[in-house]
Amino acid sequence: MKRQATATTENVTWRVVEPEDLSESFEEGRNAFRAVNPYSAQKPFIRIEALWTAEPYDSPDSRLLLELDEAAPLELNRTFAFDEPIDTGGRRGIGVWICGDGRGETINIRLRSDLWIGAAMADHFVKVDFTGWRYFSFYESQNGEMEHGDWPRTELEYRVYDDVKNFYASYTNAVNYDRIHYLDILTSGKDQYDLRMKPIVVLPHREQVLVNPTVTINGQSVTFMTELKSGTYLECSAEGECAVFDVKGGVIDTPAIAGEIPVVQPGDNELMISSRGASPYVKRATVTLRLIGEGVV
């Protein structure tokens, strides 16, 4: 039996056992995670996808999307309707600073465009498991991924005919970045939270290269001797057979590995992703670990 679920960071996504949505980068120790393996000890199948990234928040090519007062408490579950649709000028990256309260709620920054039927929306999730100011960079929308554990898809609970707009929006039409009509700041919880947010900006997206990406599990590391560019992905079997694929699924590299494929132990495991070299942009990746077996009680 195969089982795959998600533990996510905005800049690193681990698909392992328990759903948890975070938004992080390779820096400041934000590339390390914990995951639970319900199966016996085994070497996993590993998949690493290099994501697109965005220019820095203070880039001269940034454009204001939503003005916010960073000194004022953030008003959650609010829709900001623009007087005129926002044209991002081809900018697809999003940059935002959030001052967290460490209470573990999930924030969703949702962009929406009106269509003739339904709507188009792009979700961007942040897990507030931190305190103080932290920067987040987005490119891909996240509502096309598997369901988030603390963000149930209530819009799929079709009720009456006039609910058709939200119902069909769940099928994720692409947001028209030339005509953004609304921005929602939503939260998964119903408590009172103490959050701050600086103005949200849109940024030019940029290609990144992950040089010799390394996956570490419980202190044991394996390094893949390749360069992963945005839009490409690496797959490696438990036996160490590796290939890098382009966006169309064509093989473009068969890299060697340094080290052994780490063993995922039953129960809690410490996971980390890293790569060589500095980057002027936030490094971003999606990492999938696939485990096989019967559940261990």
Side-chain angles (χ1 to χ4, degrees):
M1 179 180 69
K2 297 181 180 180
R3 178 176 175 180
Q4 178 175 303
T6 306
T8 307
T9 74
E10 181 269 319
N11 301 325
V12 183
T13 300
W14 292 91
R15 287 191 174 94
V16 277
V17 176
E18 294 184 341
E20 182 180 3
D21 302 299
L22 314 175
S23 294
E24 304 295 340
S25 75
F26 279 30
E27 301 175 353
E28 302 172 335
R30 293 156 58 183
N31 56 340
F33 316 93
R34 296 179 64 86
V36 178
N37 173 20
Y39 307 129
S40 59
Q42 61 185 280
K43 294 183 177 182
F45 166 93
I46 299 174
R47 185 180 192 272
I48 305 173
E49 179 184 358
L51 303 177
W52 290 84
T53 189
E55 288 198 357
Y57 182 81
D58 57 358
S59 167
D61 291 326
S62 67
R63 179 174 294 182
L64 180 66
L65 183 60
L66 180 66
E67 183 67 69
L68 293 168
D69 181 359
E70 65 182 82
L74 181 63
E75 185 177 351
L76 296 168
N77 299 313
R78 176 181 174 183
T79 293
F80 296 86
F82 301 118
D83 294 334
E84 296 291 336
I86 299 292
D87 181 356
T88 68
R91 298 165 179 82
R92 295 283 301 273
I94 295 177
V96 61
W97 282 91
I98 298 174
C99 186
D101 58 8
R103 298 185 62 184
E105 67 274 22
T106 294
I107 293 176
N108 181 1
I109 299 172
R110 173 177 287 173
L111 309 183
R112 290 191 285 135
S113 298
D114 278 337
L115 300 177
W116 69 275
I117 184 170
M121 61 186 183
D123 289 339
H124 309 86
F125 295 102
V126 175
K127 186 77 168 182
V128 188
D129 57 353
F130 60 92
T131 58
W133 287 101
R134 183 171 287 188
Y135 179 64
F136 296 88
S137 174
F138 299 96
Y139 174 70
E140 298 83 3
S141 63
Q142 295 171 294
N143 45 309
E145 298 182 350
M146 66 179 67
E147 182 174 319
H148 292 260
D150 57 354
W151 201 273
R153 301 300 296 274
T154 56
E155 68 272 17
L156 290 177
E157 298 172 2
Y158 185 79
R159 293 180 291 277
V160 294
Y161 179 77
D162 61 7
D163 193 41
V164 68
K165 190 169 187 176
N166 287 333
F167 183 78
Y168 282 107
S170 67
Y171 292 101
T172 317
N173 294 302
V175 165
N176 183 353
Y177 285 86
D178 296 335
R179 294 181 62 82
I180 296 176
H181 294 84
Y182 312 99
L183 187 150
D184 306 316
I185 300 179
L186 310 171
T187 182
S188 61
K190 300 184 182 299
D191 295 336
Q192 296 296 316
Y193 301 108
D194 183 18
L195 304 174
R196 305 287 192 277
M197 189 178 290
K198 294 184 180 182
I200 301 173
V201 299
V202 287
L203 300 158
H205 60 281
R206 292 290 180 259
E207 183 182 69
Q208 64 165 339
V209 180
L210 302 180
V211 179
N212 296 348
T214 298
V215 171
T216 302
I217 303 174
N218 300 324
Q220 183 182 2
S221 298
V222 59
T223 298
F224 305 98
M225 311 304 291
T226 190
E227 295 185 356
L228 283 184
K229 296 182 179 180
S230 298
T232 66
Y233 60 95
L234 175 146
E235 291 186 345
C236 185
S237 70
E239 294 73 33
E241 298 176 354
C242 298
V244 176
F245 302 86
D246 61 21
V247 68
K248 295 182 179 179
V251 176
I252 56 177
D253 192 14
T254 53
I257 65 173
E260 299 289 332
I261 303 297
V263 173
V264 179
Q265 299 294 337
D268 288 344
N269 289 265
E270 298 283 346
L271 314 174
M272 186 172 70
I273 175 75
S274 59
S275 68
R276 288 188 57 189
S279 172
Y281 311 123
V282 175
K283 294 182 180 181
R284 307 180 65 240
T286 297
V287 182
T288 300
L289 303 184
R290 189 170 67 207
L291 306 173
I292 301 174
E294 297 296 331
V296 177
V297 178

